[in-house]
């Protein structure tokens, strides 16, 4: 089974994807994490993706579809996986359909004001990838990762003007996918407001 997590930037796809991954014992595949890692390492893929990501726009379909196809064929995803951040437009959704896998989509619904608040308070660890929130899940020591001790940073695309652009791109290109999966009868909608644990119990009821 391939689970697809949908929702606005900051809706909690990464947070819930991690919890679901631990619960089901299948990996979370985040195209955003894969692209950010490539940018950080300065690989050819990273050089192609960097500009679009900094502007809050989508990286080209051929690049992203290629990444996901390779992952889904890999041994690590043999028992399924949780897709976080893919598909992000109808072309990507159709490419995924052609792979002929069993899909289930979970749409985490959160109001726009709430995601803007969450993203401005998000801090991430550049070393181990841990995610914090200054308002709801701060690190024990200010600015320092609990897990590995590295100095926490704000994601480049969490600056307010880029967040606005990401939301605009989401409304225009990603939101139509919700209807696409509803039409196929494989969509579950979950209220994403509440603590991460509360949201996760709702997800567990439908996953
Ligand atoms: P990506 O990394 O996928 O970003 P996104 O979709 O904008 O999602 P986020 O990671 O910002 O948020 P999230 O929903 O995972 O929330 P999180 O759990 O972290 O993509 C980044 C960029 O890469 C794109 O803009 C694009 O350029 C490119 N890209 C990626 N995939 C692509 C694709 N398929 N095609 C083309 N381009 C692609 O939570 C957010 C914050 O809220 C955290 O601080 C967290 O601690 C907190 N939080 C979580 N849950 C709760 C809760 N219940 N209550 C309170 N706070 C909470």
């Amino acid at each position: 089974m391939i689970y697809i997590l949908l929702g606005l930037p900051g809706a909690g796809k990464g947070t819930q994807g991690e919890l679901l991954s631990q619960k089901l014992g299948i990996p979370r595949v985040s195209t955003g994490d894969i692209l950010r890692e490539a940018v950080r390492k300065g690989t050819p893929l990273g050089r192609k993706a960097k500009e679009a990501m900094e502007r809050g726009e989508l990286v080209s379909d051929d690049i992203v579809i290629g990444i996901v196809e390779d992952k889904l064929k890999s041994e690590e995803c043999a028992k399924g996986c949780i897709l976080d951040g893919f598909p992000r437009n109808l072309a990507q959704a159709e490419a995924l359909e052609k792979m002929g896998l069993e899909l289930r989509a979970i749409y985490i619904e959160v109001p726009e004001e709430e995601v803007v608040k969450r993203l401005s308070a998000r801090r991430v660890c550049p070393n181990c990838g841990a995610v914090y929130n200054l308002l709801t899940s701060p690190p024990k020591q200010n600015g320092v990762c609990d897990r590995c001790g590295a100095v926490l940073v704000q994601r480049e695309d969490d600056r307010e003007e880029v967040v606005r652009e990401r939301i605009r791109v989401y409304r225009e290109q990603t939101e139509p996918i919700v209807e696409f999966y509803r039409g196929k009868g494989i969509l579950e909608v979950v209220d994403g407001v509440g603590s991460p644990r509360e949201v996760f119990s709702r997800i567990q009821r439908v996953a």
Side-chain angles (χ1 to χ4, degrees):
M1 172 72 75
I2 308 294
Y3 293 89
I4 299 164
L5 296 182
L6 295 170
L8 274 164
K13 302 180 294 296
T15 305
Q16 297 302 325
E18 268 310 302
L19 293 170
L20 198 56
S21 164
Q22 285 161 22
K23 176 82 190 178
L24 300 178
I26 55 176
R28 174 177 73 102
V29 173
S30 157
T31 42
D33 284 356
I34 294 168
L35 293 168
R36 270 186 295 281
E37 177 69 0
V39 170
R40 196 178 63 78
K41 289 187 174 153
T43 64
L45 165 66
R47 286 197 294 276
K48 283 188 202 149
K50 189 170 190 281
E51 244 182 72
M53 293 180 80
E54 281 175 353
R55 287 198 305 263
E57 283 160 19
L58 296 188
V59 173
S60 72
D61 287 344
D62 51 339
I63 293 183
V64 180
I65 292 169
I67 293 175
V68 172
E69 270 175 349
D70 287 350
K71 276 279 178 193
L72 292 180
K73 283 183 202 146
S74 72
E75 185 56 34
E76 129 188 63
C77 294
K79 292 188 180 144
C81 73
I82 297 149
L83 289 177
D84 163 8
F86 184 96
R88 228 159 168 122
N89 59 24
L90 285 170
Q92 294 181 12
E94 273 151 15
L96 182 59
E97 286 294 306
K98 287 200 187 117
M99 295 180 216
L101 301 160
E102 194 182 352
L103 305 175
R104 180 171 300 172
I106 301 174
Y107 172 43
I108 307 173
E109 200 169 30
V110 176
E112 198 169 306
E113 320 80 75
E114 170 72 13
V115 300
V116 171
K117 203 166 70 182
R118 286 184 189 177
L119 292 180
S120 61
R122 174 164 58 186
R123 296 293 181 272
V124 295
C125 176
N127 182 45
C128 72
V131 178
Y132 298 87
N133 193 282
L134 300 182
L135 302 173
T136 54
S137 53
K140 292 191 184 83
Q141 192 188 336
N142 195 13
V144 177
C145 181
D146 293 348
R147 275 202 230 155
C148 72
V151 174
L152 301 178
V153 296
Q154 182 166 35
R155 252 170 63 174
E156 276 290 315
D157 61 352
D158 279 349
R159 285 178 291 118
E160 194 183 332
E161 67 279 16
V162 187
V163 167
R164 297 278 168 206
E165 177 61 7
R166 284 161 62 200
I167 292 174
R168 190 194 66 74
V169 169
Y170 173 86
R171 297 276 182 226
E172 185 184 282
Q173 305 200 40
T174 311
E175 213 161 52
I177 299 180
V178 174
E179 291 316 312
F180 177 83
Y181 288 126
R182 201 191 305 274
K184 293 191 170 292
I186 56 165
L187 180 80
E188 299 287 351
V189 181
V190 167
D191 177 6
V193 178
S195 72
R197 281 283 156 196
E198 282 165 345
V199 177
F200 187 56
S201 344
R202 294 176 200 140
I203 288 184
Q204 278 182 285
R205 272 181 240 133
V206 300

